[in-house]
Amino acid sequence: MQEQPPPDVEPPEEVPPQGWHGLTHKKNFTAAMVITLVFMLVVVVLLSSPMILRSSKAAERTEAISNSKQVGLALLEFDQEYGRFPHETTVAEVRRTTSTGIDLSGSSSNAMFRQLIAYGIQSEDIFYCGHPEFRDKRPDNKIRGPQALEPGEVRFSYVAGLDTSMNPSLPLLAAPMKLGTTSFHDKPFSDKGVILRADLSAKALTIRAADGRLTIGGGQTLFDPKNGIWPAGHVIDLRHPEK
């Protein structure tokens, strides 16, 4: 008798493990991963923001120090030519020797530095640094006539009336100063103020939180005429940039 093939038997239905929800579970798993990644990115950004800000302020402070040294070199050359750093008393001689068409009148640091442009400095960039009282405008390097060092293109304050025969620790440039005062803004350079000394050394000094004045040690501040670095009876002639 011929054997008959066994009847087809359907395999038993596979029962998914307990808790398994097929495609729905996969979707939930993917969504959970996306949410986790987004959360991690947010945390990384929040943690790195202070570091990025500090790095940005350090870069601005470095730029201010570098530019102040360039201005210092120009001031030194000017002093060697005219016997002192730019001042109202040097305007007539600068006009005579350069035949400049630049307006050299005025008492601001812009006006003093225009004498350097008339003398031969070709770049306005060296007079720039971060300063919260000015809009975000960089020098355009147009140095002819009234376009030379226009308002906003100079950010350094300037101490007029000095020369190379005086104390080399005296400041020639300072930034970023609160216009019309002897105090400094503490935000741009992370609680530091930048100064260029008469010996052409540039430094970043700590700003005193109580009054915004720049400290030089021993409880003394930079623009206190009794701090020991200024000659006895000297009147500090501080010129601020034009806004």
Side-chain angles (χ1 to χ4, degrees):
M1 183 176 184
Q2 186 176 3
E3 289 188 11
Q4 297 295 325
D8 293 337
V9 178
E10 294 185 2
E13 183 179 354
E14 293 186 5
V15 179
Q18 186 175 0
W20 174 258
H21 300 290
L23 187 58
T24 302
H25 179 83
K26 291 182 179 179
K27 287 182 177 178
N28 290 340
F29 181 71
T30 303
M33 287 192 64
V34 171
I35 293 172
T36 301
L37 288 173
V38 170
F39 175 77
M40 291 176 64
L41 286 173
V42 170
V43 171
V44 169
V45 170
L46 290 176
L47 291 177
S48 63
S49 292
M51 296 177 61
I52 295 172
L53 183 59
R54 286 195 296 270
S55 177
S56 175
K57 290 183 177 182
E60 290 188 2
R61 185 169 67 241
T62 299
E63 180 184 38
I65 289 174
S66 177
N67 284 347
S68 71
K69 290 180 178 180
Q70 295 299 313
V71 177
L73 291 173
L75 289 170
L76 182 61
E77 291 185 15
F78 188 95
D79 175 87
Q80 292 172 344
E81 179 69 22
Y82 297 103
R84 66 183 307 177
F85 299 122
H87 189 263
E88 282 86 351
T89 56
T90 58
V91 169
E93 186 65 8
V94 171
R95 284 174 175 159
R96 186 187 70 80
T97 58
T98 65
S99 301
T100 184
I102 298 173
D103 182 5
L104 302 181
S105 62
S107 59
S108 65
S109 60
N110 296 59
M112 298 298 102
F113 296 149
R114 286 184 191 113
Q115 294 189 50
L116 298 178
I117 297 293
Y119 175 61
I121 299 303
Q122 298 295 307
S123 173
E124 295 180 323
D125 291 330
I126 63 174
F127 303 101
Y128 175 88
C129 68
H131 197 300
E133 294 187 49
F134 293 87
R135 66 184 186 276
D136 189 20
K137 172 188 176 182
R138 299 189 73 95
D140 57 15
N141 286 312
K142 297 177 180 178
I143 59 174
R144 297 188 180 278
Q147 294 179 309
L149 294 179
E150 295 176 304
E153 293 184 326
V154 173
R155 305 292 179 84
F156 289 101
S157 297
Y158 171 68
V159 182
L162 305 182
D163 60 59
T164 53
S165 68
M166 302 177 75
N167 185 345
S169 295
L170 291 175
L172 286 174
L173 306 180
M177 296 196 71
K178 296 179 180 179
L179 301 186
T181 76
T182 56
S183 298
F184 287 72
H185 289 284
D186 60 356
K187 300 301 181 185
F189 305 150
S190 296
D191 301 322
K192 301 288 185 180
V194 169
I195 66 167
L196 178 80
R197 292 173 171 167
D199 63 1
L200 302 190
S201 63
K203 296 185 177 295
L205 302 178
T206 300
I207 299 171
R208 192 164 67 184
D211 55 13
R213 298 180 187 277
L214 208 62
T215 60
I216 58 173
Q220 301 292 324
T221 57
L222 181 65
F223 289 112
D224 179 358
K226 299 179 181 179
N227 62 16
I229 67 171
W230 298 95
H234 182 84
V235 178
I236 301 173
D237 188 2
L238 185 60
R239 312 294 180 90
H240 291 292
E242 299 170 16
K243 186 175 178 182

